C-alpha cells in the first residue's frame, strides 16, 4: 500500500493511495484520491473489499444467469 499527499496547496484532492493484494494467481489493484487521509483510507478499504469479492466469486457457476450462446459452446436447440 502506498499513500501520498500532494505538496501543492491548490490541489483539490491532495491524498492519493494505491493498494495491491495478490491471492494465488490473482492480483487486485485499487487506486483512490480524496481530500483527507481518513476519507482515503475508507475509499481504499471499500474498493479493495469489492474488488476481492469480485475476484473470489468470479468462478462461481451459481452467479451465471444464462447459458452461453451456441457460437460460444452453449446448448444447441
Amino acid at each position: 500500500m502506498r499513500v501520498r499527499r500532494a505538496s501543492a496547496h491548490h490541489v483539490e484532492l491532495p491524498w492519493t493511495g494505491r493498494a495491491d493484494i495478490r491471492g494465488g494467481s490473482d492480483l487486485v489493484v485499487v487506486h483512490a484520491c480524496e481530500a483527507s487521509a481518513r476519507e482515503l483510507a475508507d475509499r481504499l478499504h471499500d474498493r479493495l473489499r469489492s474488488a476481492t469479492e469480485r475476484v473470489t466469486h468470479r468462478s462461481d457457476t451459481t452467479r451465471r444467469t444464462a447459458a452461453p450462446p451456441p457460437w460460444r459452446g452453449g446448448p444447441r436447440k
Side-chain angles (χ1 to χ4, degrees):
M1 174 181 271
R2 290 183 183 206
V3 175
R4 292 187 177 152
R5 183 170 188 226
S7 58
H9 298 288
H10 64 278
V11 178
E12 186 176 333
L13 300 173
W15 291 92
T16 59
R18 174 184 172 179
D20 307 342
I21 290 184
R22 179 174 295 279
S25 62
D26 297 317
L27 177 64
V28 176
V29 179
V30 294
H31 301 266
C33 296
E34 289 297 329
S36 71
R38 183 168 293 204
E39 291 173 3
L40 177 68
D42 290 342
R43 179 71 53 125
L44 284 173
H45 178 263
D46 292 341
R47 288 186 179 176
L48 201 54
R49 176 177 285 196
S50 67
T52 54
E53 285 178 0
R54 212 174 14 248
V55 167
T56 57
H57 296 297
R58 180 173 46 202
S59 63
D60 288 351
T61 57
T62 58
R63 289 184 170 254
R64 296 182 185 164
T65 58
W71 61 86
R72 290 195 178 163
R76 298 186 186 267
K77 292 183 178 182

